Structures are given as C-alpha cells and as structure tokens.
Amino acid sequence: MAGITAAITAIQGYVPEDLLTNADLEKMVDTTDEWIRSRTGISERHILKGADKGTSDMAVEAVKGLLAKRGIGADEIDLLICATVTPDMLFPATANIICDKIGAKNAWGYDLGAACSGFLFALATGSKFIESGTHKKVVIVGADKMSSIVDYTDRTTCVIFGDGAGAVLLEPSTDGMGIQDSILRTDGSGRQYLHQKAGGSLRPASHDTVDRKEHFIFQDGQPVFKAAVTNMADVSAEIMARNQLTSDDVQWLVPHQANLRIIDATARRMGLSEEKVMINIQRYGNTTSGTIPLCLWEWEPRLKKGDNIILSAFGGGFTWGAIYLKWAYNPA
Ligand code: UT7
C-alpha cells in the first residue's frame, strides 16, 4: 500500500479489580464451574463495582495509560472514537465524556455501536481519518460495562460477560506498517437472536419494560453460536486469501473472545496452531468491545515490528469482520 497507512503506536488495557468467579456464579444460578468452562472456556470475569461508575471510567483509565506510555498530552488527540454497547447514557456520547475527563480539549469524538465487532468497526473507521492525512492522532477505545445489562438470574447469559476496556493510538506510518485491509459485514436479520429489547425509541423505558426485564441482554445462544462459527472463520480465511497470506505468514490471530469453541473453529479454518492465537477469555469472559484491545495489550511484549496480525470478530446485529495489520513497533 503506497502513501500513508494508519498504525497502532501504543496500546493500553484496563479491567476493574473485582472478580466474579465460576464458584460465585454457582451460588447465584443453577450452573457449575464444569459447564461454564467446557461450554465457554471462561473461569472468571472482572466486574466494575460502585454506583457512580460507568463505562467511561474504565475507558479513561485505558486512555490515560495509553497517553503516558506514548508520552503525549491529551490535548494532542485529534479524534476519539468509543466503541460500546453500554454507553454511560444514551446521549451525550461516551466519547465526549471521556474527552472531558482526560482533558482532550482539541479532540472531537463519537460512539460507535456494533456490539462485539465494535472495536473492529471503530478501528477501520478511525484509520480512514489517518490515511486521508486530515488527522494525526486518533484514539480508538473499546469499552463495555456488560454487568450493567446482564440479568444475574439468567444462567444462559450471566456466565458469559465481563467488564473491561482497551485503547489504541493510531498515527500515520510512512513505512507501510499498520492497517493493510479490512472486511466488515452486517446482517440486521440476525438481530432477533441477540439484543436489548427496551430503552431505545422503539420501546422506551417504562414500568412494563422493567417488569419484563427488557433492559437486559436477550440471547438465543445456539443460532448466534452457529452464525459466529461460520462467519468469523469465513471472513478470516477470506482476508488471508485476499492478501495472499498463508498460515505461515500470519504470526497472530486476535479473535473476539465470546466462546473458546468459536475461537478454536476460526483458528482451525485459518490453519493456525494454538500458539499463534491470543486467548484470555478464561480470565475476562466476553467484554464485548474490550476483548480485542485487551488481548493486544497483554501480548504487546511479544509483538514485533512487521508481524502479520489478523483481528477477527462476530457479534450482535449481526456484525462481523476481520482486519489485517502489520504491527508497527518492537517491544520496549
Ligand atoms: O459475543 C457476542 C456473540 N455471542 C456469542 O458468540 C455467543 C454464542 N453462543 C454461545 O457461546 C453458546 O450458545 C452459549 C455458551 C451461550 C450456550 O452454549 P450451548 O452449548 O449453545 O448451550 P445451549 O444453549 O444449547 O444449552 C444446552 C443446555 C440447555 O439445557 P437443556 O435444554 O439441554 O436441558 C441449557 O438450558 O445447557 C443449559 N444451560 C446451562 N447449564 C448450566 C444453559 N446455560 C447454562 C449454564 N449452566 N450457565
């Protein structure tokens, strides 16, 4: 790719301190540690506690760490995009709130909602502002306080989700590093299987919506599972083929962490051995927009300049996609 590419030049994650373990969940709903681990791969998740804490509080921690790492001030950020399905409030955008809290006085920002594919959609979108030459420093945040929309009496969903945030800085690269290609998809007919029924303009909040528990996540797991396995594997294979990448050429797969079985199916389809797959679902569960940056953050010390990395996700909407990038820097 000639000209300017958009490269990740720093990464930082944040998870809250409090843990919700499988043993805790055994006391809350009719489930077992064995079922959760064998069906999902999850052992524990982090939960943001405190009545006055929202998604922006986790995002702020991640972004502050990111800026400190890169040695730049908040006033140098041009744009901040926050991928989330659990905004602090319906408006203003969580991105606005984050910018205010960190003092990003020269930035504009907005939220992007694409459920578990949110970070990928935001990364692809943000990269265009860098590639066009109009923006020099774009922050992409993926953050979700899933515990705010989980029904902790519903065993089919409460075992899956956790809270967390991750942020990356995008800057121009002139040596071809960074984002090389992206394939992003939506299929709104899948919305019936995974959604939050009330709280939007279609079903505004009322006593009735609260009584019916319509402000929690609704998921029909099996159809989502099937669509996730097929589409995440297909799109990951497609981006490899389109860029003439063999399994030997790919150093890392960074999959959305929804279910270990979905991750395994994707890696198998790509012909990748498990050492090349970033997996931390056992400790964080599904943090929705947070999963991919949290993986990159944890693996950062092992990433080398020029590594070919495929990011891949599937989520509610349905939404899914893959991004191919070349890592832009060596470990510090
Ligand atoms: O990231 C966003 C996109 N979301 C996903 O990718 C999630 C995709 N779906 C999944 O990961 C899986 O479908 C789940 C993990 C949600 C469920 O696993 P499953 O293997 O599809 O289970 P199932 O829904 O087919 O349920 C099998 C059985 C049922 O009991 P019966 O009807 O066979 O008696 C469930 O009631 O397991 C039961 N079950 C549980 N048992 C113990 C469901 N949840 C639990 C539980 N503990 N927590």
Side-chain angles (χ1 to χ4, degrees):
M1 197 188 294
I4 301 170
T5 49
I8 293 174
T9 57
I11 177 138
Q12 183 71 26
Y14 174 80
V15 287
E17 263 173 40
D18 283 294
L19 286 180
L20 179 65
T21 65
N22 289 355
D24 296 329
L25 285 161
E26 281 178 344
K27 293 179 203 133
M28 296 160 64
V29 289
D30 180 15
T31 192
T32 60
D33 172 57
E34 202 284 324
W35 191 96
I36 302 171
R37 279 191 292 108
S38 63
R39 305 309 289 170
T40 70
I42 303 167
S43 295
E44 60 188 27
R45 354 58 211 116
H46 292 248
I47 301 293
L48 183 64
K49 293 211 171 140
D52 56 348
K53 298 265 185 236
T55 292
S56 72
D57 294 292
M58 296 187 293
V60 162
E61 292 302 322
V63 178
K64 277 185 179 167
L66 180 80
L67 298 177
K69 237 175 176 176
R70 184 75 181 88
I72 60 168
D75 54 354
E76 293 181 59
I77 301 172
D78 300 314
L79 164 65
L80 186 145
I81 307 174
C82 179
T84 188
V85 289
T86 52
D88 279 16
M89 47 187 78
L90 277 182
F91 72 90
T94 309
N96 284 31
I97 300 169
I98 299 166
C99 286
D100 178 50
K101 286 182 176 174
I102 62 172
K105 301 209 177 310
N106 299 314
W108 67 291
Y110 58 92
D111 288 0
L112 189 152
C116 296
S117 309
F119 182 79
L120 287 196
F121 281 30
L123 188 65
T125 310
S127 70
K128 301 300 171 198
F129 290 95
I130 297 285
E131 288 164 11
S132 71
T134 58
H135 291 59
K136 301 287 180 234
K137 289 185 170 50
V138 175
V139 172
I140 309 296
V141 187
D144 271 302
K145 183 185 171 186
M146 295 307 291
S147 60
S148 67
I149 55 168
V150 165
D151 175 0
Y152 284 99
T153 65
D154 174 10
R155 70 174 183 174
T156 67
T157 51
C158 74
V159 301
I160 299 171
F161 295 98
D163 300 339
V168 301
L169 180 66
L170 286 176
E171 294 185 86
S173 161
T174 48
D175 62 358
M177 294 296 114
I179 290 159
Q180 309 291 308
D181 194 13
S182 61
I183 305 176
L184 304 169
R185 303 262 189 263
T186 57
D187 175 4
S189 68
R191 69 189 182 279
Q192 61 181 305
Y193 303 115
L194 179 52
H195 57 256
Q196 187 181 338
K197 290 189 196 307
S201 59
L202 186 64
R203 279 186 68 67
S206 67
H207 280 293
D208 186 47
T209 61
V210 173
D211 290 345
R212 290 169 179 268
K213 297 187 165 191
E214 290 181 352
H215 296 272
F216 293 126
I217 298 163
F218 168 86
Q219 177 168 261
D220 184 356
Q222 288 259 339
V224 180
F225 183 87
K226 281 184 195 146
V229 166
T230 307
N231 289 308
M232 229 170 106
D234 279 356
V235 80
S236 306
E238 188 184 345
I239 206 161
M240 283 174 71
R242 188 155 105 170
N243 291 280
Q244 291 89 46
L245 295 171
T246 67
S247 52
D248 288 340
D249 300 323
V250 175
Q251 276 72 43
W252 296 103
L253 166 66
V254 193
H256 169 55
Q257 314 277 308
N259 188 314
L260 193 53
R261 291 179 289 148
I262 300 172
I263 296 172
D264 288 345
T266 304
R268 263 199 310 278
R269 177 73 181 281
M270 296 168 76
L272 296 183
S273 54
E274 61 184 89
E275 314 82 69
K276 289 185 169 186
V277 186
M278 297 187 193
I279 298 172
N280 58 16
I281 190 172
Q282 59 278 15
R283 284 178 291 112
Y284 299 138
N286 181 352
T287 57
T288 302
S289 310
T291 58
I292 288 177
L294 281 172
C295 277
L296 284 170
W297 170 55
E298 281 203 69
W299 266 260
E300 185 192 26
R302 295 164 67 184
L303 303 180
K304 297 188 200 67
K305 184 170 180 178
D307 278 355
N308 288 318
I309 301 181
I310 306 283
L311 317 179
S312 179
F314 181 90
F318 291 143
T319 56
W320 69 99
I323 289 182
Y324 161 40
L325 62 84
K326 284 185 178 291
W327 197 247
Y329 58 97
N330 285 313

